[in-house]
Amino acid sequence: TLAGTTPASPGKTTTPTVFGTTEPGSLVRLYLGDDCTGFLVGETTADDTGAFSVQVAVAANAETLFYGRSTDLSGRVSACSEPPLSYVHDGIAPLAPVLTGVEPLSPSKNPKPTIKGTGEAGATVTLYTNATCTTPAVGTQTPPGLATSVVVAAGTFATPVSLPLNATTTLWATLTDPAGNVSPCSTSKIVYTHDDKAPAVPTLNATRPQSPSGELNPTLTGKAEGDADVDVYDNATCTGTPIGSGNANPGGVFEIPITVTENAVTSIY
């Protein structure tokens, strides 16, 4: 019986070892042709338990089918083994994966986003935190391990990763095919910012025009966290419908049109 190969198929070595079992002490011959009439690729003698192993040579980047036959100590020859044992050599590395997105979108307060991309079906994706793909990212499993996933048949993947809190992390990836060939590091990358800290209270500076005025839609100026969304209210609890909304620029400065009550004093928060 031809049980398997070391390494298992597919493999990236052209000299795998075929192993199996037969009658103890028997001479085992391996062939490339069915009915054990083709080219003899190796022979060995089974040990006293009947186990045997023999190293063989195979063609590169191709499938090889092995057939076996045993001859016992009395000279009796067995039938040719069926079905044949298959070994696929694969020495070709996958193309680098392409990182296409992240869920949720960055920035987010979720420290365990999922990185999405495309690559060779059946290959394993591994995420890294440096552009040479030498520093692996941490996965979400318990206990912690590498951030990996398998590319599905459609050629897409979704890899969960655990990232540092309140920091910006850049991620790259490689693919490893079932034979163990590793792709180049991806040229595409994902930049993800985790942020679960509430921004500081915004500072309200002035209105334009200044109060008092007949303008019912003055512009409120102030400062807040850079790129933050700012909502303006007419009550000290900042509840209800905002009287104005806008965004701070990267430097934190904002100018937001607001709506005030006609012929009345409006407190702004």
Side-chain angles (χ1 to χ4, degrees):
T1 300
L2 304 184
T5 61
T6 303
S9 177
K12 59 181 181 179
T13 178
T14 56
T15 54
T17 296
V18 175
F19 62 87
T21 58
T22 188
E23 184 178 314
S26 294
L27 175 65
V28 179
R29 290 189 172 97
L30 300 181
Y31 299 87
L32 293 185
D34 56 3
D35 294 329
C36 295
T37 57
F39 184 73
L40 176 67
V41 293
E43 64 181 24
T44 189
T45 300
D47 64 19
D48 56 8
T49 69
F52 67 86
S53 63
V54 57
Q55 190 176 57
V56 295
V58 300
N61 299 305
E63 180 183 23
T64 301
L65 298 178
F66 296 103
Y67 300 81
R69 173 172 283 165
S70 298
T71 303
D72 67 16
L73 296 176
S74 300
R76 293 185 294 257
V77 180
S78 73
C80 191
S81 61
E82 287 288 350
L85 176 67
S86 170
Y87 177 83
V88 176
H89 173 263
D90 179 5
I92 301 174
L95 297 175
V98 177
L99 303 183
T100 59
V102 59
E103 187 178 324
L105 295 176
S106 175
S108 170
K109 59 183 179 180
N110 182 353
K112 297 181 179 181
T114 296
I115 307 302
K116 297 182 176 182
T118 59
E120 181 180 303
T124 297
V125 184
T126 304
L127 299 179
Y128 298 84
T129 57
N130 65 328
T132 56
C133 291
T134 56
T135 305
V138 178
T140 58
Q141 66 269 48
T142 301
L146 299 180
T148 64
S149 68
V150 176
V151 182
V152 300
T156 61
F157 61 84
T159 310
V161 61
S162 183
L163 298 178
L165 302 181
N166 297 301
T168 297
T169 304
T170 304
L171 296 163
W172 291 264
T174 62
L175 293 178
T176 304
D177 68 19
N181 301 296
V182 182
S183 77
C185 194
S186 63
T187 56
S188 55
K189 61 186 178 182
I190 294 293
V191 180
Y192 184 84
T193 299
H194 173 261
D195 181 4
D196 65 1
K197 292 183 178 179
V201 176
T203 300
L204 309 184
N205 292 337
T207 59
R208 189 173 63 243
Q210 294 182 342
S211 177
S213 169
E215 176 62 59
L216 292 175
N217 297 109
T219 296
L220 175 68
T221 64
K223 193 161 186 181
E225 181 179 301
D227 295 317
D229 296 330
V230 181
D231 292 319
V232 182
Y233 297 85
D234 59 4
N235 63 84
T237 58
C238 292
T239 56
T241 302
I243 61 173
S245 297
N247 302 97
N249 66 21
V253 175
F254 63 82
E255 296 186 358
I256 300 174
I258 61 174
T259 300
V260 299
T261 305
E262 185 176 8
N263 296 314
V265 174
T266 301
S267 297
I268 304 171
Y269 303 86

